[in-house]
Amino acid sequence: MWNRLTGSQPDPPLWLVGLVGLVALGAVLHGPTWRVARNTVTIAHEGGHALIALLTGRKLDGIKLHSDTSGVTVSRGKPHGPGMIFTALAGYITPPLLGLFFALLLAGGRITLMLWFSLALLAAMLVMIRNAYGALSVIATGAVIFAVSWLGSATVQAGFAYLAAWFLLLAATRPVIELQRMRARHMAPSSDADQLAHLTGVPGLAWVGLFAATALLALLAGGALLVPDVDVPDLPALPGL
């Protein structure tokens, strides 16, 4: 088991990387599929809030995930200051940064490590879940990852791992767009961006821009890591040259 976790696995074929990338893109663009798959982004989003709350010394009361793919993380501490700012900031930037981290692991051939690292994150998050739907979402996600990592062939594991990384990278931008649409309609007065605006005095739109820039830069960097190197054969020399 230790050798499986710490060892490297061969890169999947280029066609598989491209195929799961297209599947991930389809899941983001197709409305009905997105409404289900978005739960994964919400888990990462709320997990980011929770992790930074703990790292900055705040007391984490719990996490709730809802069937409409929204979520809330409740922590206690000073209602202002760096701890609160970083906690509010973490939500929207965690999914793309987690996708980028997964891409780094996969670029190094650490497919099994990436899958089991995901399981460890979900297990840690499950302890703080405070509602039935949230617990079911985390358990179901963990069960799928465990089944793939334990029962799947090397090709299936690689395809699933690359699909997860692609999805986080590609999906990170859509919630930011949805956030700004709701803000423009005055439907999200207590959004992360507006909380940050209240805490720092920096306009909410600037924070939305930061969320979007983080997602796009992570996608560019992660996409470059996920696409394996392709050896292009040398062209034959022309006669007389």
Side-chain angles (χ1 to χ4, degrees), residues 95-186:
L97 294 181
L98 184 60
L100 179 57
F101 178 66
F102 285 170
L104 283 168
L105 290 178
L106 295 177
R110 301 299 196 272
I111 295 173
T112 302
L113 179 61
M114 175 253 170
L115 294 174
W116 281 75
F117 179 79
S118 302
L119 285 174
L121 292 178
L122 290 170
M125 187 173 179
L126 182 61
V127 176
M128 298 307 302
I129 293 293
R130 295 293 182 265
N131 67 324
Y133 181 83
L136 180 62
S137 297
V138 173
I139 291 172
T141 304
V144 171
I145 297 174
F146 178 80
V148 169
S149 63
W150 194 256
L151 302 174
S153 65
T155 301
V156 170
Q157 291 184 29
F160 184 85
Y162 274 76
L163 174 63
W166 273 124
F167 179 75
L168 285 174
L169 291 169
L170 290 166
T173 306
R174 181 160 179 172
V176 179
I177 296 173
E178 293 171 348
L179 167 65
Q180 184 53 32
R181 285 177 178 170
M182 293 183 68
R183 292 184 70 251
R185 298 170 184 171
H186 305 287

Side-chain angles (χ1 to χ4, degrees), residues 28-124:
V28 174
L29 297 178
H30 184 245
T33 305
W34 171 248
R35 282 190 288 273
V36 176
R38 196 186 193 282
N39 284 284
T40 307
V41 181
T42 303
I43 290 173
H45 180 112
E46 299 304 330
H49 282 313
L51 176 62
I52 299 304
L54 290 173
L55 291 178
T56 56
R58 298 180 63 80
K59 181 176 175 56
L60 183 61
D61 285 342
I63 303 168
K64 290 184 179 181
L65 306 174
H66 304 299
S67 58
D68 62 355
T69 71
S70 65
V72 61
T73 299
V74 179
S75 63
R76 285 184 289 162
K78 291 182 179 181
H80 51 78
M84 189 63 193
I85 292 172
F86 285 118
T87 298
L89 175 63
Y92 280 96
I93 68 173
T94 295
L97 294 181
L98 184 60
L100 179 57
F101 178 66
F102 285 170
L104 283 168
L105 290 178
L106 295 177
R110 301 299 196 272
I111 295 173
T112 302
L113 179 61
M114 175 253 170
L115 294 174
W116 281 75
F117 179 79
S118 302
L119 285 174
L121 292 178
L122 290 170

